[in-house]
Amino acid sequence: MHRYGSDANEFIGYLEQVHAQFPGYPIWVTEFADTNPDPTAVEEFLKTTVDYMNSVSYVERYAWFAFSRTTNGLNSNLMDVNGNINMLGAAYGL
């Protein structure tokens, strides 16, 4: 599944709905990110959602969007303009 938004609780609720609908299947979150313009809020979203997904057995894999260099207007990039891991990338565990 893919999921974008700016509310960690909404994201978690959606995961729980998908799991309730398909309880016998593992979930792969192939893209997810916070769309908030505030970098601090994006980092909190990342930490909250990753902690949750690591705590449940039904989420088998997940991938944050985007593992790329900084893009104007997007605060979810895990690298800076030089290709170095930024603070968000470090929080993700890179």
Side-chain angles (χ1 to χ4, degrees), residues 5-9 11-12 32-53 62 64-66 74-78 85-94:
S6 60
D7 184 319
N9 291 323
F11 175 87
I12 291 166
F32 76 108
D34 189 319
T35 58
N36 196 310
D38 176 7
T40 303
V42 173
E43 186 173 350
E44 285 303 312
F45 176 94
L46 179 140
K47 289 177 181 178
T48 300
T49 56
V50 166
D51 286 349
Y52 177 80
M53 289 188 287
Y62 58 83
W64 182 259
F65 182 85
L74 184 63
N75 289 306
S76 64
N77 294 305
L78 301 178
I85 301 302
N86 63 19
M87 291 182 67
L88 191 62
Y92 187 62
L94 299 176

Side-chain angles (χ1 to χ4, degrees), residues 5-24:
S6 60
D7 184 319
N9 291 323
E10 181 182 342
F11 175 87
I12 291 166
Y14 184 74
L15 276 176
E16 291 172 345
Q17 288 175 356
V18 171
H19 175 61
Q21 201 169 10
F22 304 100

Side-chain angles (χ1 to χ4, degrees), residues 60-79:
E60 192 170 89
R61 302 273 191 272
Y62 58 83
W64 182 259
F65 182 85
F67 185 63
S68 59
R69 295 176 184 208
T70 302
T71 304
N72 289 336
L74 184 63
N75 289 306
S76 64
N77 294 305
L78 301 178
M79 294 187 289

